[in-house]
Amino acid sequence: MVTLAFYKGRDQFFDRAIQTWSRGPYSHVEIIIGNTWYTSSPYDGGVRSKQIIPTEGHWDFITLDHIDPNSVLDWYILHAGKKYDFLGIAGFVIRPIKGFEHRYFCSEAIAEILGLDDPWRYDPNTLAGVVRRLALDQNQVQHQYFNITPLIAA
């Protein structure tokens, strides 16, 4: 089973800035297989895996039944240790900025794992909306929310 975890905490300035720039509740996204969380994190220097105990109320989860966990692991094996793409984050404000090749910000990494075109275009909020819409269209999503109103009504 593959689950996306969207972070909506406002603990750090970086989180609040991304939420403000992208006009939504999310500042970060991870992809979960079993107990392991995969993403690219500015706090960890780039693409990494680790175990996280989520703080209730800080995360929203979407389970994707149609994603093969092995494809996530294959992507991770090829990209583990790649640096965080701070320049790519500027693309949230100035869209023509694509960032550095071979570096990733969180939603770019997840969008690439999911096979979305132009993954550098996705901030966490845009990615959440697209994934919900695609999953709802295919009836292949389970919402596991902590106090959230869905962006798209079923």
Side-chain angles (χ1 to χ4, degrees):
M1 178 168 67
V2 173
T3 302
L4 298 183
F6 290 91
Y7 185 71
K8 60 183 178 179
R10 298 183 56 82
D11 302 336
Q12 305 288 329
F13 170 79
F14 196 66
D15 296 322
R16 292 187 302 275
I18 291 173
Q19 290 164 335
T20 300
W21 287 333
S22 62
R23 295 179 289 194
Y26 305 121
S27 61
H28 184 65
V29 60
E30 307 246 352
I31 194 163
I32 307 167
I33 299 172
N35 292 324
T36 305
W37 297 47
Y38 302 88
T39 196
S40 183
S41 169
Y43 304 112
D44 296 319
V47 177
R48 58 94 177 120
S49 67
K50 70 187 215 182
Q51 293 190 339
I52 295 175
I53 299 172
T55 303
E56 187 170 341
H58 284 209
W59 296 90
D60 291 334
F61 300 91
I62 300 175
T63 300
L64 301 173
D65 296 327
H66 64 289
I67 301 298
D68 179 6
N70 290 320
S71 66
V72 176
L73 298 175
D74 290 345
W75 186 94
Y76 177 74
I77 289 167
L78 291 172
H79 296 86
K82 301 277 185 185
K83 300 288 184 197
Y84 189 81
D85 190 3
F86 285 100
L87 182 61
I89 291 294
F92 294 170
V93 179
I94 306 168
R95 275 297 176 199
I97 295 177
K98 286 176 131 178
F100 293 109
E101 281 191 46
H102 310 295
R103 291 185 181 212
Y104 294 88
F105 53 88
C106 64
S107 48
E108 177 183 28
I110 305 306
E112 186 169 297
I113 290 168
L114 297 177
L116 298 174
D117 291 334
D118 298 326
W120 61 273
R121 295 182 183 273
Y122 292 89
D123 61 69
N125 291 289
T126 302
L127 183 62
V130 167
V131 168
R132 285 186 184 134
R133 183 70 216 178
L134 292 173
L136 287 171
D137 285 349
Q138 298 172 12
N139 292 320
Q140 295 180 335
V141 68
Q142 298 173 11
H143 297 279
Q144 301 169 1
Y145 295 119
F146 297 124
N147 303 319
I148 185 171
T149 302
L151 296 177
I152 299 172

